Amino acid sequence: MRNSPADLPAAQFRAIGHDLVDEIAAFLETLESRPVAPDKAPRELRSLIGGGQLPVPAHGADPAQIVAEATKLLVSNSTFNGHPRFFGYITSSASPIGALADLLAAAVNPNCGAAALAPLATEIELQTVRWIAELIGYSPKCGGLLVSGGNMANMVCLNAALRAQADWDVRSGGIAAGARLAVYASSEVHTWLQKGADLAGLGTDALHSIPVGASLSMDVAALERRIAEDRAAGWRPAVVVGTAGSVSTGAIDPLPEIAALCAREGLWFHVDGAYGAPTAVLDDAPTALRAIALADSVAVDPHKWLYVPLEAGCVLVRDREKLHAAFSFHPPYYRFDGSADDPPTNFHELGPQNSRGFRALKVWMTIRQVGREGYVKMIGEDIALARELYRMAGAHEDLEALTQALSITTFRYVPRDVRSRLAESSTEDYLNELNTALLAKLQREGQVYLSNAIVGTRFALRACIVNFRTSSEDIRALVEAADRSGRALDREMRGSTPLPAVR
């Protein structure tokens, strides 16, 4: 056997691995006592690894020392989305079994681009796709695959939709070789759509934004009018994107009405369910989510609300052949045909990647550990905690509850002495400035971690709960932190000066 500098003898691997697992277990055990995020500038972090100026090492180093150093650096200088007081972006606490799955997947290292290179891994991924579809009420006979996350899952679905809706050969002639295709989505849609239109060669001018109503969900009457206007103007309406849980507020578009309109108009109906689709597993799920079953394609993010480690997004397309037609190539150096009576699934024919890691293993193992009942329990608890936050903010003298949907609550700090003047523009300007500063202060302090939303013209503090470690105690701590820091900032920014003078 070669003496390779990249290899580790079994005994050494075992010793280093055991030490690492002990360190990770200790990290998880003490997670809630740590700051949610480090209060360090980029240059401080850079200095920890040599200031960004170190050359490539000329000689290798001791692997045990490297692993120990990397562990210490990461657990001391990371933003922890698994922390019970991380309420920021839609990245869930990751299942520990998912972390073990990633270790196993990396060790075996199957290339999930072709069944011949990943025979059992391919079958596990197919089963995982079926399970995700079943959990959200979608057809388990659909086509699909695991990708890096919501952006890519939605983009893959968009690509399949555009190919299916075009009546010309897009592969040879390009997207501009035929009619101008139009894609519709609400003004609250995630920015994946702009990136997807750009990468597909469609152009962002082809994205036609539909206004939202008071609930921040799409106005279907406005959608119908815009489709008719576009046809008259020479566009070819092609795809409507319905959002099942917007990233800002958790708003759900009227999916049943959109599905019916798409059926009448011959349009592809895509649902961006990256965040909210798993809520469909609940018995009391919002009625609109039942229409996920009617979609031509759906994107779901297991690393959002199925509690698996990054990265994991899932593509679901009702007609598997539409996905195959969009991505299948057969170069002469790929001979992965298999037998005619039992053909294999080669995922390189269903998505943009050829070489693919075994992302499905962590999803498969987590679903097996948790089960449907476990997801009903955890997702339901997350939603209940978000509602509890909304109630607490609404009852607080210095907080204003703004929106609540799924597991997202938005609110803001409003000093009680200015509540009677909310209609004045100078007051709103000041509150936006105050809450912008408050968000930065809370993130810097590291006791809780929030993000923001814009609700109308109001800058809001946004809390999203997709975390099986979060409890009512953490919600109370969030309210107390917002109140304490908001009061301190307001004193600093206003002092004893009456509000109009601050402008």
Side-chain angles (χ1 to χ4, degrees), residues 236-251:
R236 177 175 294 178
V239 182
V240 179
V241 177
T243 298
S246 66
V247 293
S248 289
T249 65

Side-chain angles (χ1 to χ4, degrees), residues 19-44:
D19 287 345
L20 177 59
V21 168
D22 285 343
E23 290 292 332
I24 292 172
F27 159 68
L28 293 175
E29 197 172 33
T30 60
L31 181 57
E32 64 184 59
S33 65
R34 298 172 181 271
V36 186
D39 183 16
K40 293 180 180 175
R43 67 172 62 89
E44 295 177 83

Side-chain angles (χ1 to χ4, degrees), residues 232-458:
W235 287 92
R236 177 175 294 178
V239 182
V240 179
V241 177
T243 298
S246 66
V247 293
S248 289
T249 65
I252 300 171
D253 284 336
L255 304 181
E257 291 87 345
I258 296 172
L261 177 60
C262 287
R264 291 196 305 271
E265 299 284 348
L267 308 183
W268 182 287
F269 175 36
H270 171 67
V271 172
D272 176 1
Y275 161 48
T279 317
V281 76
L282 303 178
D283 291 337
D284 60 348
T287 304
L289 291 182
R290 304 300 179 202
I292 286 176
L294 305 175
D296 294 294
S297 58
V298 185
V300 188
D301 257 16
H303 69 220
K304 283 187 168 64
W305 223 352
L306 294 181
Y307 310 100
V308 303
L310 293 159
E311 303 169 343
C314 184
V315 172
L316 301 173
V317 176
R318 172 179 301 285
D319 184 346
R320 183 183 184 276
E321 288 308 309
K322 299 286 176 65
L323 193 58
H324 186 271
F327 292 101
S328 179
F329 281 86
H330 288 280
Y333 46 84
Y334 274 10
R335 303 305 304 169
F336 299 132
D337 298 331
S339 63
D341 62 334
D342 187 17
T345 295
N346 296 313
F347 284 112
H348 73 84
E349 297 184 288
L350 300 178
Q353 287 181 271
N354 285 358
S355 298
R356 303 173 66 249
F358 193 10
R359 292 188 183 95
L361 185 62
K362 58 192 169 192
V363 188
W364 184 74
M365 289 173 61
T366 301
I367 292 175
R368 290 187 63 192
Q369 179 192 355
V370 172
R372 178 184 289 273
E373 288 184 1
Y375 280 118
V376 168
K377 178 179 186 294
M378 293 191 296
I379 292 171
E381 288 173 349
D382 287 345
I383 293 172
L385 288 170
R387 290 172 177 168
E388 181 179 345
L389 173 59
Y390 185 78
R391 287 192 297 270
M392 291 179 69
H396 198 285
E397 288 185 306
D398 292 311
L399 298 178
E400 181 186 12
L402 295 176
T403 67
Q404 201 291 308
L406 297 181
S407 65
I408 296 177
T409 290
T410 66
F411 64 101
R412 62 178 179 168
Y413 185 82
V414 180
R416 67 193 72 179
D417 64 324
V418 303
R419 278 186 176 271
S420 63
R421 306 175 58 181
L422 289 180
E424 298 177 18
S425 60
S426 62
T427 301
E428 286 297 337
D429 289 345
Y430 173 68
L431 290 177
N432 284 344
E433 183 181 343
L434 173 62
N435 281 275
T436 300
L438 176 55
L439 176 64
K441 180 176 174 63
L442 290 171
Q443 290 182 346
R444 188 170 59 249
E445 290 172 343
Q447 298 309 302
V448 297
Y449 196 97
L450 296 168
S451 58
N452 77 283
I454 304 299
V455 180
T457 59
R458 295 168 292 182

Side-chain angles (χ1 to χ4, degrees), residues 169-238:
D169 186 352
V170 174
R171 178 163 293 172
S172 60
I175 203 74
R180 300 165 71 197
L181 300 178
V183 177
Y184 304 86
S186 90
S187 56
E188 294 289 301
V189 74
H190 188 275
T191 54
W192 73 263
L193 188 54
Q194 283 82 9
K195 288 186 178 182
D198 191 8
L199 289 173
L202 188 65
T204 56
D205 285 351
L207 304 181
H208 296 181
S209 182
I210 305 302
V212 296
S215 65
L216 301 180
S217 60
M218 185 190 291
D219 181 339
V220 179
L223 170 64
E224 188 166 18
R225 288 194 299 271
R226 183 62 189 269
I227 289 170
E229 291 167 3
D230 287 347
R231 280 209 172 98
W235 287 92
R236 177 175 294 178

Side-chain angles (χ1 to χ4, degrees), residues 157 195 197 331 352 490:
C157 290
K195 288 186 178 182
D490 183 47

